[in-house]
């Protein structure tokens, strides 16, 4: 069973969902505005937004008869946490390699 962070990454693995998410990073938009910026229909945009909303990458609020979508910091934090796990390990491995290959001080040639 994937972790929550893994589900967030899976949601962003789809090119269209990633494009929608990146578009919303520039500011809140309605479904109509999003659909005009991506090469899929409005119903498809709504389906992608549903997936993004399920993993808390986007949130929505009512504005009259429209829903306005924006980036939800909770999902963004989960994506960041997912990648930070690997970053910490990569830095530790790099430090170990530097320590292993660093010439001893005083033996300069």
């Amino acid at each position: 069973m994937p972790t929550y962070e893994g589900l967030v990454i899976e949601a962003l693995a789809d090119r269209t969902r990633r494009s929608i998410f990146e578009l919303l990073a520039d500011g809140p938009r309605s479904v109509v505005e999003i659909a005009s910026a991506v090469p899929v229909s409005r119903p498809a945009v709504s389906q992608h937004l549903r997936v993004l909303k399920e993993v808390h990458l986007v949130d929505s609020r009512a504005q009259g008869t429209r829903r306005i979508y924006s980036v939800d910091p909770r999902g963004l934090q989960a994506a960041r946490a997912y990648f930070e796990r690997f970053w910490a390990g990569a830095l530790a491995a790099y430090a170990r390699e530097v320590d292993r290959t660093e010439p001893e001080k005083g033996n300069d040639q």
Side-chain angles (χ1 to χ4, degrees), residues 86-100:
F86 300 105
W87 182 244
L91 285 176
Y94 177 75
R96 284 191 303 273
E97 186 63 17
V98 167
D99 288 345
R100 187 182 71 77

Side-chain angles (χ1 to χ4, degrees), residues 1-63:
M1 175 109 179
T3 63
Y4 169 62
E5 292 86 2
L7 292 173
V8 168
I9 298 305
E10 284 180 24
L12 289 173
D14 180 89
R15 179 181 302 155
T16 302
R17 283 194 289 271
R18 198 169 50 253
S19 294
I20 291 169
F21 182 74
E22 290 170 358
L23 182 66
L24 292 174
D26 292 335
R29 300 185 195 286
S30 69
V31 173
V32 173
E33 292 169 314
I34 295 166
S36 70
V38 295
V40 296
S41 67
R42 263 195 283 175
V45 167
S46 293
Q47 290 296 324
H48 286 297
L49 285 167
R50 182 181 56 77
V51 171
L52 292 169
K53 194 168 181 176
E54 285 175 358
V55 296
H56 305 290
L57 281 167
V58 301
D59 198 9
S60 66
R61 62 178 166 77
Q63 186 177 54

